[in-house]
Amino acid sequence: MNNMTEKELDQQWSLLMETIDLYVTGDRKDKLISLYESLADRICTAPASSHSTRHNCFPGGYLDHVNRVVRTAIKLYHVWRDEGADVTNYTLEEVVFSALNHDLGKVGSKEEEYYIPNDSDWHVKRGQVYKINPNLQYMKVPDRSVFLLQQHGVSFSENEYLAIKLHDGLYAKGNESYLMAGLPEFSLKTD
């Protein structure tokens, strides 16, 4: 999918808002909606990646990506539960919240976009369509995601924090100490 139409963007935005309304509870629902509405233009136009060979490297790609991740996470939760997996140490709300916000940092800060069009023709010809905005304070995407949530007063559980922080798995070197703990007392206490 490339170059989403305005109608497709509206549908994707509506799906995102419906998901928040359906799965997020408490006062954090209103805060999350407020956060998303304050960044709506960026959420609807941001790509999900910077390189043409990676997922959703097009305007609106972020929104499409997040909705797909949420849909898949919900399906997997039900498959795991139905097949007898232990899902008692996390909730469906935690799964959905984490999926919704795992890449939130890719929209940038209150003031700045995360991805900006690459001004180097040489790089664009080689697939590097976007680059990370040099005006942003450096943060990894999961860290910026958590920062944006806390900046807007959106609470999250320990499970949600870990899911957002560790969503890149072992592709992020900093996750090794969480995911490859040698001793049981240092292992994650949730699935």
Side-chain angles (χ1 to χ4, degrees):
M1 177 184 283
N2 282 320
N3 300 324
M4 294 174 66
T5 66
E6 190 173 330
K7 181 180 178 182
E8 289 169 326
L9 283 172
D10 286 343
Q11 290 171 336
Q12 291 282 349
W13 176 258
S14 293
L15 177 59
L16 185 72
M17 291 295 104
E18 289 168 14
T19 300
I20 293 170
D21 188 54
L22 189 60
Y23 291 97
V24 180
T25 61
D27 71 330
R28 74 182 187 157
K29 177 194 293 192
D30 294 332
K31 290 178 181 177
L32 190 60
I33 289 170
S34 176
L35 163 60
Y36 275 56
E37 287 176 346
S38 74
L39 297 170
D41 287 344
R42 241 184 278 147
I43 288 170
C44 290
T45 58
S49 63
S50 61
H51 201 280
S52 63
T53 60
R54 298 199 181 103
H55 68 292
N56 294 39
C57 179
F58 55 86
Y62 170 81
L63 184 57
D64 177 70
H65 169 67
V66 168
N67 282 330
R68 288 173 190 257
V69 169
V70 170
R71 183 174 59 244
T72 302
I74 292 168
K75 286 179 184 177
L76 287 173
Y77 174 86
H78 291 296
V79 167
W80 294 331
R81 184 199 61 203
D82 295 348
E83 294 302 320
D86 181 9
V87 296
T88 59
N89 56 7
Y90 57 92
T91 67
L92 180 57
E93 180 175 353
E94 288 176 316
V95 169
V96 172
F97 183 89
S98 301
L100 280 167
N101 297 295
H102 79 284
D103 269 349
L104 183 61
K106 288 184 178 180
V107 302
S109 68
K110 286 181 176 181
E111 298 80 22
E112 298 282 345
E113 295 178 86
Y114 183 76
Y115 288 127
I116 58 173
N118 201 328
D119 52 3
S120 166
D121 219 26
W122 187 89
H123 285 93
V124 171
K125 286 178 182 173
R126 286 153 182 80
Q128 194 68 43
V129 180
Y130 297 95
K131 64 182 182 179
I132 296 173
N133 186 343
N135 295 328
L136 279 174
Q137 172 67 40
Y138 173 77
M139 285 186 209
K140 294 284 193 184
V141 168
D143 296 329
R144 184 171 297 285
S145 300
V146 169
F147 180 78
L148 281 168
L149 290 168
Q150 69 81 31
Q151 189 177 39
H152 286 80
V154 180
S155 62
F156 43 89
S157 70
E158 189 174 78
N159 283 343
E160 291 162 340
Y161 167 79
L162 289 168
I164 292 168
K165 178 169 179 46
L166 303 175
H167 82 267
D168 284 328
L170 290 174
Y171 287 106
K173 189 168 179 62
N175 292 346
E176 288 178 3
S177 62
Y178 288 91
L179 301 173
M180 297 177 67
L183 299 172
E185 58 268 24
F186 297 129
S187 296
L188 294 174
K189 308 284 188 266
T190 185
D191 297 314

